[in-house]
Amino acid sequence: MNIFYHELKAYRKSTIIWTISLVAIVMLFMSFYPGFSKDTEAFKKVMENYPPAIRNALGINLGNLVSILGFYCFPLSFITLCGAIQAMNLGTSIISKEVREKTADFLLTKPVTRTTVLTAKMFAAFASIVITNIIFIAAASIMAFQVKTDDFSFKIFIMLSLTMFFVQLIFLALGFIVSVSGLKLKSVLSVSLAVVFAFYFLGMFSDTTGEKVKRYFSPFKYFDNTYILKHASFEASFLVVGAIIIIAAVAASFMIYTKKDIHAV
């Protein structure tokens, strides 16, 4: 438990900065909605000139753009990208930092097992992500009610907002795998950015082909905002795949970490 609180405190500043940044982005974009709702046709004409793949990558659906939920999907695509970077960076750094900072041997001489250490660190990372999402969803909800011009489904709004949380969980788990892999990471952020943007561009590529099977290669495409708006539900097959990735990554992280050699200083 001491390890959990220590890690939570160590990443407190990072969590606060990321949370404030995500809240600022959603508040900025949502503040544009009242003015946008008065002249949607002009914006639609501009967006019609963009290829469908680009519009999909930006979270723009011309049919739903008039409503506040459809408009919310636009900034949500950028916010999810930022959230994925936060989660990947956190998952990668929270375990590998012991090797980078040469404190691994000190930590492992304590009367705790490696499983306990890894569990505490994972829960601390998970708690940071949960805190970020609670504050973000609360701020986004307040802003949506402030700028709305018509009634909207709050249930769907929450479902759309939760897509960032689910994507973050996947990248957090991938970050754990990278952190225990034994690679000497000189810069955690550069690795996190490379992985996240690689998956993001894979998602954009899947949009150009329109093939559903290619969506499985990018976590960013596991949650289709248009599908959520239409059916008020998530696509079960992608939820299952996402859960499998998380479980497999966490399980593999435990297996690798408990058996790997930790070099002393």
Side-chain angles (χ1 to χ4, degrees):
M1 190 60 72
N2 288 335
I3 298 175
F4 170 80
Y5 286 121
H6 173 78
E7 295 297 341
L8 203 58
K9 183 178 180 180
Y11 285 90
R12 177 178 57 190
K13 182 178 179 181
S14 174
T15 302
I16 291 173
I17 292 174
W18 276 105
T19 303
I20 291 175
S21 300
L22 294 176
V23 168
I25 293 172
V26 73
M27 292 184 71
L28 175 64
F29 273 93
M30 295 303 286
S31 65
F32 296 148
Y33 180 70
F36 166 82
S37 62
K38 298 177 182 178
D39 196 15
T40 56
E41 292 303 320
F43 186 75
K44 278 186 177 182
K45 290 180 180 179
V46 173
M47 287 295 101
E48 285 174 354
N49 296 323
Y50 287 85
I54 299 298
R55 295 201 300 265
N56 292 336
L58 297 176
I60 298 175
N61 184 296
L62 297 180
N64 301 318
L65 200 57
V66 178
S67 68
I68 190 170
L69 292 177
F71 181 82
Y72 179 55
C73 292
F74 174 51
L76 191 59
S77 62
F78 298 105
I79 293 169
T80 301
L81 175 62
C82 294
I85 295 172
Q86 176 199 10
M88 185 72 194
N89 190 66
L90 181 59
T92 305
S93 64
I94 201 167
I95 301 171
S96 63
K97 72 172 184 175
E98 304 298 342
V99 176
R100 294 196 316 276
E101 298 175 6
K102 299 180 180 180
T103 58
D105 54 338
F106 172 77
L107 177 62
L108 296 178
T109 57
K110 298 299 180 182
V112 291
T113 64
R114 292 191 183 191
T115 300
T116 301
V117 171
L118 189 56
T119 300
K121 285 177 172 288
M122 285 184 172
F123 272 113
F126 176 73
S128 296
I129 296 298
V130 169
I131 291 170
T132 295
N133 279 271
I134 290 175
I135 297 175
F136 167 77
I137 293 176
S141 300
I142 292 172
M143 195 65 187
F145 280 109
Q146 289 293 322
V147 303
K148 70 172 185 175
T149 55
D150 294 299
D151 291 334
F152 63 95
S153 172
F154 188 59
K155 173 188 173 182
I156 295 180
F157 182 86
I158 294 297
M159 293 181 69
L160 290 170
S161 301
L162 285 174
T163 59
M164 181 181 75
F165 176 64
F166 295 142
V167 171
Q168 281 185 308
L169 290 182
I170 295 174
F171 279 101
L172 184 66
L174 293 177
F176 292 150
I177 280 287
V178 173
S179 65
V180 301
S181 63
L183 299 175
K184 293 183 179 180
L185 304 177
K186 294 182 179 180
S187 174
V188 172
L189 183 59
S190 61
V191 173
S192 301
L193 289 173
V195 173
V196 170
F197 277 106
F199 279 111
Y200 186 75
F201 287 121
L202 274 176
M204 292 183 66
F205 175 73
S206 70
D207 284 329
T208 62
T209 62
E211 297 179 24
K212 182 177 179 179
V213 67
K214 291 184 178 179
R215 289 175 54 195
Y216 288 99
F217 292 102
S218 175
F220 289 104
K221 295 303 173 182
Y222 286 7
F223 304 95
D224 184 9
N225 292 334
T226 302
Y227 183 92
I228 296 173
L229 289 172
K230 184 177 180 180
H231 301 280
S233 64
F234 300 114
E235 295 175 88
S237 60
F238 289 99
L239 281 178
V240 171
V241 172
I244 290 174
I245 292 174
I246 294 170
I247 294 171
V250 171
S253 298
F254 273 101
M255 291 178 62
I256 297 172
Y257 188 76
T258 54
K259 295 181 180 179
K260 69 181 294 188
D261 292 329
I262 303 295
H263 296 288
V265 179

